[in-house]
Amino acid sequence: MKSNWKLAALALALAAGTTAAQTYPAKPVTWIVPFAAGGPTDALARNIAERVARELGQPIIIDNTPGAGGTVGAAKAARAAPDGYTMLVGHMGYMGAAPALYKKLSYDPIKDFAPVFRFPDTPLVLMVRKEHPAKDIKALVDFGKGNPDKLTISNAGVGSSSHLIAALFASSAGIKIMQIPYKGAGPALIDVIGGQVDGIFDQTNTALPQIKEAKVRPLAVTSKVRLPQLKDVPTLSETVLPNFEASTWYGIYAPKGTPQPVLDKVQAAYQKVMADKAFTDKMSEQAIQLLPAEQYTGAALGKHTESEVARWKVVAAKSNISLD
C-alpha cells in the first residue's frame, strides 16, 4: 500500500509538471541579474532575454539586484518560488567561485538551483587609461613589480569576474595591485576612461566600443588565441603568462524544484534562438565565443557548474583569494 501511495504521488507530480509546461508561461518571466544595469552581464542578459521571450511568447523582465559580487541576487533567486517565473542569470563569480571565497554563503550553487541553459563565453580585455606610461603588457607588469600596490585596477564588484581575473593575473604575474570595487562594470570603466584608475579587465561586449573610440588602450586579452576584432592585441599567454586563459561563463538557473517540463520548454526556446545564425553572428562580432551546441544544455551547465566550484577552490587556495 505504501509503495502504491508513493507511485500515485509521483504520477500526480508528473501530471502537474506536464500541465504547468503546457500553460507556461502565462505571464511575464523575471530574470535576476545580480549586477547594475549597463555592465556586460546586464547587456548580454538583455540581448538573450529579448530573443528567448519571443520564442516563449511572454516578456522577460530583467531585475537588477546588485550587491556582494552577485551573491545578493543569487540568494534572492534561490528563495524564489520554483514555478519557472523567476530565474537567475548566473556567472562564474557567484555560481562558481563564491563557495571558495566566502566562509558563509546563504545559498549553494549546486544544491539550490536547477540549471536551464548556458550562454556563450566572453573573454576579457586588460585595458589601461590612455595616459598610462605602460605601452604594452610587459611594461605594465614591470610597473607593478616596481610599484607594489600602486597599480590600481577597477572591477565590477567584489567577486565579479573582473575582480577574480585581476586577482588571478596579479598572483600569476607575481605583482601586488590595488583593486577598487564598483557597483557594476559601467562605473568601473568610466573611471578608467576618466583617468582616475589605471586599468580594468573588462568583457569584450562592453570593451570593444571603448577601444574603437580610443577611450582606453588595450594591452592583452585573456582568451587562448587572439581575437579577430583585436588582432594586434596579444594574449596574456603569448606574452608574460604562458598558459593563462580565462573567460566569463554564464548560465540561466531556476530555483530547485521548478518542474522539469518547464525547464525543458525554456531550454528548447533558447536552442531555437542559438540556431539563428543572424543572432549568433552579432554575438561573434562582439568577440563573444560561441560553444558547441551540446554545451548549451541544462545538463551540460550543471556539470560545468560542479567542475567550476571544484576548480575555484583550488585557485583560491593557490592565489590566496578570500572575500571574508
Side-chain angles (χ1 to χ4, degrees), residues 228-249:
Q229 297 83 353
L230 298 170
K231 59 180 184 297
D232 294 327
V233 180
T235 66
L236 281 171
S237 62
E238 72 181 87
T239 50
V240 293
L241 300 175
N243 302 317
F244 189 100
E245 179 187 1
S247 291
T248 302
W249 58 264

Side-chain angles (χ1 to χ4, degrees), residues 29-92:
V29 176
T30 295
W31 283 7
I32 294 175
V33 173
F35 291 118
T41 302
D42 179 72
L44 185 58
R46 289 178 187 273
N47 188 29
I48 292 176
E50 192 276 330
R51 283 293 284 106
V52 173
R54 277 194 248 166
E55 298 295 337
L56 289 175
Q58 286 284 354
I60 293 177
I61 299 167
I62 299 298
D63 176 8
N64 294 102
T65 307
T71 60
V72 172
K76 180 180 178 180
R79 294 191 299 266
D83 56 9
Y85 289 98
T86 301
M87 295 188 179
L88 172 70
V89 179
H91 98 332
M92 61 175 285

Side-chain angles (χ1 to χ4, degrees), residues 138-268:
K138 184 179 182 303
L140 187 73
V141 170
D142 289 343
F143 176 87
K145 288 180 177 179
N147 301 274
D149 290 324
K150 294 291 179 64
L151 178 59
T152 56
I153 302 292
S154 63
N155 62 59
V158 174
S160 65
S161 57
S162 50
H163 168 251
L164 296 172
I165 299 306
L168 189 58
F169 162 74
S171 175
S172 301
I175 62 176
K176 290 184 177 181
I177 63 175
M178 180 180 291
Q179 292 228 50
I180 304 176
Y182 287 75
K183 291 183 178 179
L189 180 55
I190 287 172
D191 273 8
V192 177
I193 295 171
Q196 287 85 10
V197 183
D198 289 325
I200 185 174
F201 279 86
D202 194 29
Q203 292 170 209
T204 53
N205 54 326
T206 48
L208 287 175
Q210 311 306 323
I211 295 171
K212 288 178 181 177
E213 294 179 18
K215 292 182 178 180
V216 289
R217 187 192 312 138
L219 297 186
V221 295
T222 64
S223 51
K224 188 175 183 179
V225 297
R226 293 194 185 197
L227 304 175
Q229 297 83 353
L230 298 170
K231 59 180 184 297
D232 294 327
V233 180
T235 66
L236 281 171
S237 62
E238 72 181 87
T239 50
V240 293
L241 300 175
N243 302 317
F244 189 100
E245 179 187 1
S247 291
T248 302
W249 58 264
Y250 297 96
I252 293 294
Y253 298 81
K256 185 72 79 175
T258 301
Q260 188 61 45
V262 169
L263 303 181
D264 292 341
K265 193 166 188 176
V266 178
Q267 181 180 261

Side-chain angles (χ1 to χ4, degrees), residues 123-145:
L124 294 88
V125 187
L126 172 55
M127 308 178 294
V128 294
R129 55 185 173 84
K130 289 196 299 182
E131 299 80 10
H132 198 279
K135 302 300 182 184
D136 56 40
I137 188 62
K138 184 179 182 303
L140 187 73
V141 170
D142 289 343
F143 176 87
K145 288 180 177 179

Side-chain angles (χ1 to χ4, degrees), residues 12-27 82-85 257-263 265:
L12 283 172
L14 290 172
T18 302
T19 301
Q22 289 172 347
T23 59
Y24 176 88
K27 60 182 181 180
D83 56 9
Y85 289 98
T258 301
Q260 188 61 45
V262 169
L263 303 181
K265 193 166 188 176

